[in-house]
Amino acid sequence: MTRGRPAVWSAVFGTPFVAVGTYVYAFQSRYPLLADGPSAPPVAGLPLALFGLFVVGLGLYVRFVDLPDEPTMREGERVVDERHPAQRSALARTAASVPFLAAGVNLLYFTTHPLVYPALALAVGLYLFSTGIHEYWRNTLTTYVLTDRRLMEEYRFVSLVRTEVPLEKVRAVRERRSFVDTLFGLGSVRVRAGASGDLGVTVRSIHESTGFADATRREMDHAGDGGRRDDGDIHADATREDATLDPDGEGETDHRPTVDATRSVGERPSDGPSVVSRDAGAQGDGSTTESVPLRDEQSADGS
């Protein structure tokens, strides 16, 4: 099951919508708040009640959704850090909607102000409530996993969405703290890969975001050092092989087979092409020995 109490918090915030919508739709005409005061159209209570039921029902669904499966680790891969988004900022935004909603109801029923004022207050309250409760549900279903090779973001609502960024391809790590995050000691870390920045993961609303960013940079350095070591080993092997083939360092070594020049010209050549060595100079003064193929037996006899 998921972390936290999404069913409880969804019921806490969704039940008032159900109650107010039910009152407006079914009981406002018989039990008005003010005898001669304004009232909302009864039909307006229906969407409010349905919205509250949606919030409560979705909270129950999120409560019983399974967490994302554990990622499949590669050979030799280890988990360095695993984080879940904190819920403080999401709950704070949701709670901040309550005063606006209450002010909208007060302006609608207990004042004679134009309807634009209660409508504006209700719109702001609904926006804060919707974004806050959505962030809470999303945080409940999100997991961030940092290994020594990659950074993963896993989110499961109806289906599983997993984003992976290889550490050797990371080009930038950016930390960010909004005003609300600062109040609650939270922060976000943006990890970007590639020149265009299309591939990336944003680790949102976590405690000790600086420590997570430092761990990411440290693993990036290790991944880069490992790649450089591999390249250096390949280059060293190639250098040793070249030194073995050409110890004097004067170009590629001729691999054509050679034979002893003292062999008789009339002797039948052995299997494979026969060659004769023609000295281009003394061997001790740094000159090379050129090997040329022998002609066949008839050519050697002058025929």
Side-chain angles (χ1 to χ4, degrees), residues 23 27-40 105-112:
Y23 168 77
F27 301 103
Q28 178 184 231
S29 58
R30 286 182 290 177
Y31 307 102
L33 295 177
L34 296 175
D36 298 330
S39 60
V105 173
N106 180 71
L107 291 173
L108 180 63
Y109 282 97
F110 300 101
T111 66
T112 57

Side-chain angles (χ1 to χ4, degrees), residues 23-104:
Y23 168 77
V24 172
Y25 181 76
F27 301 103
Q28 178 184 231
S29 58
R30 286 182 290 177
Y31 307 102
L33 295 177
L34 296 175
D36 298 330
S39 60
V43 70
L46 187 60
L48 281 177
L50 293 177
F51 179 73
L53 290 175
F54 170 77
V55 172
V56 174
L58 196 57
L60 289 172
Y61 172 78
V62 172
R63 173 67 180 86
F64 293 102
V65 170
D66 291 334
L67 284 173
D69 299 331
E70 292 293 332
T72 302
M73 294 290 104
R74 303 169 185 173
E75 184 178 358
E77 186 177 14
R78 60 182 178 86
V79 176
V80 177
D81 199 351
E82 182 175 346
R83 298 291 187 96
H84 303 282
Q87 302 287 23
R88 295 179 181 179
S89 60
L91 290 176
R93 183 179 300 180
T94 307
S97 66
V98 175
F100 289 94
L101 295 174

Side-chain angles (χ1 to χ4, degrees), residues 142-263:
T142 301
T143 302
Y144 303 107
V145 179
L146 173 65
T147 72
D148 57 347
R149 299 185 184 181
R150 50 185 170 160
L151 174 63
M152 291 174 283
E153 177 187 12
E154 299 177 333
Y155 170 71
R156 167 170 283 178
F157 182 62
V158 177
S159 59
L160 174 64
V161 178
R162 177 177 293 164
T163 304
E164 299 184 6
V165 175
L167 293 181
E168 65 269 14
K169 295 184 178 180
V170 173
R171 295 295 177 266
V173 177
R174 185 182 67 177
E175 301 179 54
R176 182 179 180 274
R177 291 186 180 183
S178 64
F179 174 75
V180 177
D181 289 340
T182 303
L183 293 177
F184 296 102
L186 305 176
S188 300
V189 179
R190 170 69 176 174
V191 178
R192 180 174 61 84
S196 61
D198 296 336
L199 179 61
V201 171
T202 301
V203 183
R204 297 181 175 88
S205 302
I206 60 172
H207 295 283
E208 299 180 357
S209 58
T210 301
F212 187 86
D214 291 340
T216 303
R217 297 187 185 100
R218 185 166 55 251
E219 296 304 324
M220 286 170 51
D221 294 338
H222 292 168
D225 292 341
R228 285 190 291 270
R229 284 195 301 268
D230 293 341
D231 294 342
D233 293 342
I234 295 175
H235 178 70
D237 292 341
T239 303
R240 286 193 296 269
E241 182 178 357
D242 292 342
T244 302
L245 294 178
D246 189 7
D248 295 332
E250 299 179 357
E252 296 183 356
T253 303
D254 195 343
H255 296 282
R256 290 180 296 177
T258 59
V259 297
D260 191 353
T262 60
R263 181 176 56 84

